[in-house]
Amino acid sequence: MDSQIKNQGLFLALCRIVIGLLFACHGAATLFDVLGGPHGAVPGIGQWPDWWAAVIQLIGGVLVMLGLGARAAAVICSGSMAYAYFFVHQPQALLPIQNGGEKAALFCWGFLLVAVLGPGRWALSTLLAPSRPLAHERR
């Protein structure tokens, strides 16, 4: 049990990094026609909602992966995937397995988890923050 608690931060960081990387890859594929290309036509600059979703995927995914402003980026990424699920996938059928929305649902909940738990101690924002004295050292 102690090793699980001890390694909890490491696994939170790994989860955050993998989710962010995969999300950023979706954005890069859509915006730059790389990594197998987009799942459809390449959107024009500023085209709603496809281009904006890809920008959120790329920038938000990188920020979450690095752990810079990860909570705010994760909330935006989670919201964009909730939008994708409810406005693109859910009208086709109720369940994600029926409407092809599994990725949107998993990304949505994964980013929500990062937003709630935070980026962990292996995040760039944590490493770059000035060290604060412990409570007993401030007196």
Side-chain angles (χ1 to χ4, degrees):
M1 185 71 155
D2 290 335
S3 66
Q4 289 175 341
I5 293 170
K6 181 179 164 185
N7 292 324
Q8 192 173 26
L10 173 63
F11 289 108
L12 174 61
L14 288 173
C15 182
R16 174 183 49 78
I17 291 165
V18 169
I19 289 172
L21 175 66
L22 293 174
F23 205 57
C25 286
H26 276 279
T30 301
L31 290 173
F32 307 118
D33 198 12
V34 296
L35 304 171
H39 299 285
V42 176
I45 294 175
Q47 180 183 357
W48 178 260
D50 298 336
W51 186 83
W52 292 100
V55 169
I56 289 171
Q57 290 169 356
L58 180 60
I59 295 172
V62 168
L63 289 173
V64 168
M65 180 180 65
L66 296 175
L68 282 172
R71 281 186 193 254
V75 167
I76 293 169
C77 292
S78 179
S80 74
M81 288 295 95
Y83 177 91
Y85 183 78
F86 286 112
F87 287 93
V88 176
H89 298 285
Q90 198 274 329
Q92 297 173 21
L94 179 62
L95 300 174
I97 193 73
Q98 297 171 311
N99 62 31
E102 296 101 331
K103 287 188 282 186
L106 286 170
F107 275 126
C108 179
W109 285 102
F111 282 119
L112 189 60
L113 186 68
V114 172
V116 170
L117 296 179
R121 66 180 184 192
W122 281 289
L124 262 162
S125 61
T126 305
L127 298 172
L128 296 175
S131 60
R132 298 181 192 145
L134 298 174
H136 70 276
E137 294 173 345
R138 283 187 242 156
R139 296 182 211 171

